[in-house]
Amino acid sequence: MTGPAITQAMIDAYDEYTHLTLDRRGFMEKLTRLTGTAAAAAAIAPMLAANQAQAAIVAEDDRRLKGEDIAYPGGTGEMKGYLVRPADQSGKLPAVIVIHENRGLNPHIRDVARRIALEGFVALAPDYLSPLGGTPADEDKAREMFGELDPAQTVANGVATVAFLKAHELSNGNVGTVGFCWGGGTVNLLAVNAPDLKAAVAYYGAQPKDGAAVARIKAAMLLHYAGMDERINAGIDAYKAALEKAGKDFQIFVYEGAQHAFNNDTSEARYNKAAAELAWGRTIKFLKEKLG
């Protein structure tokens, strides 16, 4: 028995729902039209969404790691986050900020932070919904909350997170970041606004709207894009031109045939194992080279 066939139009509808103007009811109505029946739409919807029950590639209680929920000073108030490091850490290590998608600090992003820590980094996954009380369990509610965030406050909280990790007792002072989807866009903005950031990895993230601001970037940049992600990819050429004009250290990779969010292994329809593994290998190599 094979599962229901998922088409590009269905994936595009889910992307419209999660990132643009379509609400849950509108999404299900559109999915019903695409599948032919409400029953088929109900079967396919969970395959398009993320299943957090599948999140843990590295167990939360993995003895190789030490993780804890922390609070630290943000740009305008307290920030919360998940800090994890190798259990056998004996000296200071480079630090990496792991920035979540537009679902907040969920089990998947915590798992990604643990994967980073296993590579020899101090990893901090901030909860950018902290100003609104933190990430709720309901992912749809979390998605709605992102529209309530103050963009300037988000940038200030990112810059404060860089400063916090640079001065942290576990850190060697070299700070990088990796982010996905909404987090990828936030990585790009953080690179523009945080001169102390040394390395930045953006997965399918929106590019800075102000091309002139790209000249302020000090970090080395690694930019991953999905070949099928027309919405985000529309900004690649202008961003590349701005980076080249400013003489920045950057690499761009486009993974042909991959969907937006191809790294998220909790999303059955969009996860692309080959692209995710290739991008991850490049990411870890890049962070080790740039952060020492």
Side-chain angles (χ1 to χ4, degrees), residues 66 75 77 102 143 149 157 238 243:
K66 288 185 178 180
N102 67 342
R143 179 182 64 86
L149 286 174
N157 285 334
L243 289 164

Side-chain angles (χ1 to χ4, degrees), residues 58-215:
V58 181
E60 189 172 0
D61 60 354
D62 192 306
R63 293 185 178 181
R64 295 172 294 175
L65 299 170
K66 288 185 178 180
E68 59 181 326
D69 290 302
I70 66 168
Y72 63 94
T76 56
E78 183 180 82
M79 284 285 286
K80 295 180 180 179
Y82 176 58
L83 183 72
V84 58
R85 62 184 176 87
D88 61 356
Q89 180 179 355
S90 57
K92 296 179 182 294
L93 295 175
V96 177
I97 304 165
V98 182
I99 306 182
H100 52 66
E101 301 169 320
N102 67 342
R103 290 299 190 272
L105 181 52
N106 60 18
H108 168 63
I109 293 299
R110 288 172 175 266
D111 185 52
V112 173
R114 291 193 291 272
R115 299 177 209 176
I116 291 281
L118 281 179
E119 297 290 344
F121 300 96
V122 174
L124 173 59
D127 186 347
Y128 273 88
L129 291 177
S130 293
L132 302 178
T135 298
D138 184 335
E139 289 202 341
D140 283 335
K141 175 61 177 175
R143 179 182 64 86
E144 294 171 1
M145 290 169 67
F146 278 85
E148 302 172 25
L149 286 174
D150 177 348
Q153 185 180 36
T154 295
V155 169
N157 285 334
V159 173
T161 302
V162 173
F164 171 73
L165 278 182
K166 183 177 181 180
H168 198 282
E169 63 182 1
L170 299 174
S171 164
N172 67 2
N174 294 334
V175 181
T177 185
V178 57
F180 309 86
C181 183
W182 181 89
T186 303
V187 162
N188 285 323
L189 289 177
L190 186 56
V192 167
N193 289 281
D196 287 337
L197 190 69
K198 292 188 174 296
V201 184
Y203 278 73
Y204 28 83
Q207 301 82 5
K209 293 181 180 179
D210 181 3
V214 172

